[in-house]
Each structure stands twice: as C-alpha cells, then as structure tokens.
C-alpha cells in the first residue's frame, strides 16, 4: 500500500532512473543489531532509495513486515520500485519523524520490533544540483528534503535577521567565523537577493582564509540545511516516539553523521536508559577502513543501538 500525506507535491520521475544509488552504510552491523526476530514488524524511518530496507525485508519470514517512511516523496517512489517484489510485506508513508506515531496509528499497529534511523541527506540529494544541498555544484538555494514544504534555504538566507543567521551558523554549523559570514550575507542581500548555491559559496569564500574554505563551506551549508529541515527537533521527536512504540526487547538503531546528531542520540538514549532502554553499544559502531575506502560518505558514521526493556 502507498501512503501519502500530500498528493499535490508531485514525484520527479527522472529520479527513478538514476543508476548511482545511495550505498547503505554499516549494512551488516545494522542487520545484526536490528533484526531480533524474522517475523517482527520493523520500521525504516529514513528509507531513502531503499538500500537498508531491501536488505532488512529480504531477511524477514513471510509473517514479517517492514514499514518505510521518508519525508522526500521522490525517494519513496524509488524505494517503492526497488522493493516491488516484497510489496506484500512493505508499507510506505510520506511522513517525517515527528509524525511516526500518527503513521503507526493509521496502520493500526501497536508495537514495533525495531526502528532504523539513517540520518541526514541521501547521496541523490547531494548529487542533484537542483536540490541545492551541495556547494560543489551550482543550483537554486533550496535544501528542502520535502519539496512540498514552504521554507527554503533562500528564505533563510534572505530573510533571517543578522543575529539569527549568526546563531544558526554557530550552533548548527559550529562555524567560528559565523558573525563575519552572516554579516557578509546581510550586506549582500541589501544589494541583491542571494538565490544560488554558488552565490552563497562566493560570499563564504570571501570571508574565510583559503586554508579553512572547504570546512567553512561544509559547516555553513550544513547549518542552513539543519535550519531549513528543522533536523534536530525532528530527530528528538522521532527518537522519543520510536522509543515509546518499541516492543519489549525491540531495537533502536541510529546512524548519525555529525557531532550534533551524535550528541542528541547519546543524550536521548542516556535519559531513556534510566527508565525504558538498555544501551547495546557502550561505544558506537564505526565503519571499517575498507568501508570508508569503498564509500567515503560513510567516514563520519556512527551507529548507536539500544534495546527496550521489558516493563
Ligand atoms: C542517509 S538517507 C537514507 C538512506 C537509506 N538508508 C538507504 O539505504 O538508501 C536519509 C534519508 O532520511 C530522510 N529524512 C531525513 N530526515 C527525515 C525526517 N525528519 N523525516 C523523514 N525522513 C527524513 C531523507 O529524506 C533521506 O532520504
């Protein structure tokens, strides 16, 4: 069955023909830690192009089920095609983390055997200049994971106050030149709207020592992306809802890629481990040197695993 929250948002068919798929990170480790029973009901909260999902569903018994969700409808469409041969066992939904409970309720399911969150953006997001996520290619300043939402990166850059921009760059990008860069943005937009990734890139480059350029660009783009998609609040809400819905002994597996995500996952699991969770990973699992060589985007990944206690 195909669930959608917004029929209007449209699916970009061209993406379904993309040959270079997102490589699932720490795949064996995720399967090993997530799948406690082959007949369980699992939930992939970030299905993307369906790499982890395909591996999960292929390990399930006929009674097992997989619920797949993503806030990007075009990626859901790709995952749906990829998982077509398992369609009797899979549900798809166009939702975001803060709507997990609503989705599970709509499916009339009470408990989930395991949740997977593979955070951040998908390779396809970064590789498509039209989505505006990357400073490596020129495109509109967009950065919405869900193109049906109204707030874009261009809105943030052109409308937020100097102090809000400085705060975002500092808090979400940990960018030490945040004041300087935010100041340059505000001065530039007084002359002309900043509408493309390369316009923003040029501004950042003009304010930062060449030695730090790439790092600053990565931080500034990360910060604006986090703000546009409200990523940290979404993560907090999603984790709390998932923990509530987990069955006793059910597993929560979270793959994070930067320190702000790691911090929230650690903090949430720690708080909940006083009442409802047991940490399985005292230290997070990280990719091997070989995996990083094969898939450089895995280099900053950390996998956290916790188990719901029996009440
Ligand atoms: C790293 S990719 C997942 C890749 C996937 N595991 C695979 O193997 O193809 C992360 C996905 O999570 C989605 N996502 C990020 N934040 C989300 C949120 N708050 N709610 C729902 N989906 C989200 C993104 O749209 C993206 O497709």
């Amino acid at each position: 069955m195909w669930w959608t929250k917004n029929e209007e948002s449209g699916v970009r068919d061209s993406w379904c023909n993309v040959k270079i798929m997102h490589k699932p990170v720490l795949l064996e480790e995720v399967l090993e830690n997530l799948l406690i029973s082959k007949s369980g009901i699992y939930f992939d909260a970030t299905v993307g192009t369906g790499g982890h999902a395909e591996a999960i569903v292929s390990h399930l018994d006929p009674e097992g089920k997989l619920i797949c969700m993503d806030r990007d409808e075009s990626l859901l469409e790709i995952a749906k095609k990829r998982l077509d041969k398992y369609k009797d066992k899979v549900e798809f939904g166009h939702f975001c983390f803060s709507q997990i409970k609503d989705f599970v309720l709509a499916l009339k399911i009470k408990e989930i055997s395991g949740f997977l969150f593979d955070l951040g953006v998908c390779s396809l997001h970064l590789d498509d200049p039209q989505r505006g996520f990357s400073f490596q290619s020129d495109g509109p300043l967009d950065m919405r994971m869900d193109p049906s939402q109204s707030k874009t990166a261009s809105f943030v850059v052109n409308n937020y106050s100097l102090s809000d921009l400085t705060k975002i760059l500092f808090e979400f990008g940990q960018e030490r030149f945040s004041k300087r860069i935010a100041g340059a943005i505000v001065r530039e937009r007084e002359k002309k709207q900043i509408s493309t990734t390369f316009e923003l890139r040029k501004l950042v480059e003009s304010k930062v020592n060449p030695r730090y350029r790439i790092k600053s660009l990565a931080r500034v783009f990360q910060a604006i992306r986090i703000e546009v998609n409200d990523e940290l609040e979404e993560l907090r809400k999603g984790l709390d809802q998932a923990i509530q819905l987990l069955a006793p002994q059910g597993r929560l597996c979270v793959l994070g890629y930067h320190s702000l995500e790691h911090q929230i996952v650690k903090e949430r699991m720690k708080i909940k481990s006083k009442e409802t969770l047991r940490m399985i990973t005292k230290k997070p699992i990280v990719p091997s040197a070989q995996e990083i060589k094969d898939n450089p985007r895995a280099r900053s990944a950390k996998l956290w695993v916790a188990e719901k206690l029996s009440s």
Side-chain angles (χ1 to χ4, degrees):
M1 191 181 290
W2 173 246
W3 296 72
T4 177
K5 92 176 167 210
N6 184 353
E7 298 295 344
E8 307 269 329
S9 60
V11 166
R12 297 173 54 206
D13 277 331
S14 58
W15 275 36
C16 303
N17 300 322
V18 172
K19 296 275 186 310
I20 311 149
M21 285 291 189
H22 178 100
K23 275 193 191 160
V25 173
L26 286 168
L27 183 58
E28 286 310 316
E29 294 79 355
V30 165
L31 295 174
E32 214 172 277
N33 282 284
L34 182 72
L35 298 176
I36 49 163
S37 140
K38 290 188 170 192
S39 55
I41 302 178
Y42 293 89
F43 194 118
D44 184 342
T46 50
V47 70
T49 53
H52 286 103
E54 186 178 28
I56 294 168
V57 75
S58 72
H59 280 76
L60 299 181
D61 282 348
E63 314 88 74
K65 241 186 184 329
L66 177 65
I67 306 168
C68 296
M69 183 185 91
D70 204 289
R71 72 194 299 183
D72 186 329
E73 208 172 359
S74 53
L75 294 182
L76 271 170
E77 190 65 23
I78 295 176
K80 195 186 172 199
K81 288 199 170 138
R82 183 171 188 171
L83 301 183
D84 189 54
K85 69 172 173 170
Y86 302 106
K87 62 173 176 266
D88 296 342
K89 287 194 213 170
V90 189
E91 303 278 357
F92 291 91
H94 179 216
F95 295 98
C96 55
F97 297 163
S98 50
Q99 298 169 313
I100 287 178
K101 250 164 100 177
D102 298 337
F103 185 23
V104 172
L105 210 70
L107 293 168
K108 298 191 168 40
I109 289 170
K110 284 207 186 86
E111 288 180 333
I112 302 290
S113 314
F115 274 92
L116 171 64
F117 289 77
D118 179 16
L119 303 174
V121 284
C122 185
S123 302
L124 267 67
H125 284 139
L126 295 168
D127 296 343
D128 181 352
Q130 289 310 310
R131 301 296 295 265
F133 283 105
S134 170
F135 59 84
Q136 310 272 17
S137 48
D138 201 9
L141 254 188
D142 190 314
M143 301 195 197
R144 290 170 298 175
M145 290 186 198
D146 177 355
S148 70
Q149 98 174 23
S150 56
K151 193 197 279 178
T152 62
S154 170
F155 178 84
V156 171
V157 166
N158 289 291
N159 293 283
Y160 277 30
S161 67
L162 174 64
S163 65
D164 283 349
L165 278 174
T166 309
K167 189 166 172 250
I168 286 165
L169 299 186
F170 186 70
E171 286 183 8
F172 297 164
Q174 294 159 317
E175 171 53 52
R176 64 176 144 152
F177 302 119
S178 52
K179 234 183 188 167
R180 226 193 262 181
I181 297 168
I185 290 175
V186 170
R187 276 192 303 281
E188 179 68 15
R189 75 188 191 197
E190 280 164 8
K191 292 185 249 156
K192 173 186 162 296
Q193 168 131 340
I194 303 158
S195 349
T196 68
T197 50
F198 274 12
E199 283 168 7
L200 179 61
R201 177 183 173 145
K202 227 171 110 188
L203 276 174
V204 175
E205 285 178 345
S206 71
K207 290 291 144 196
V208 176
N209 182 315
R211 265 182 33 220
Y212 307 120
R213 262 183 202 163
I214 295 294
K215 282 204 167 139
S216 284
L217 280 166
R219 291 189 190 118
V220 167
F221 274 65
Q222 171 186 297
I224 296 172
R225 190 196 92 195
I226 289 177
E227 172 61 21
V228 169
N229 298 288
D230 194 17
E231 287 180 42
L232 305 183
E233 210 34 46
E234 271 288 309
L235 177 56
R236 288 190 190 97
K237 288 184 181 157
L239 291 179
D240 285 354
Q241 295 187 16
I243 293 167
Q244 260 187 37
L245 288 162
L246 270 179
Q249 271 98 53
R251 291 287 176 96
L252 172 63
C253 295
V254 189
L255 268 165
Y257 295 87
H258 58 77
S259 61
L260 298 174
E261 290 173 347
H262 302 324
Q263 218 174 304
I264 291 175
V265 178
K266 255 195 310 195
E267 172 202 286
R268 244 38 201 179
M269 286 189 172
K270 209 167 151 196
I271 294 172
K272 298 288 174 183
S273 68
K274 295 201 174 100
E275 329 142 5
T276 48
L277 285 185
R278 177 172 79 90
M279 291 297 291
I280 300 290
T281 43
K282 300 282 177 256
K283 279 197 176 157
I285 301 169
V286 293
S288 64
Q290 187 59 47
E291 177 167 2
I292 294 170
K293 197 166 159 229
D294 294 343
N295 181 14
R297 279 179 183 164
R299 66 187 176 279
S300 49
K302 287 187 179 176
L303 172 64
W304 307 86
V305 185
E307 182 182 271
K308 181 97 172 246
L309 296 171
S310 318
S311 47

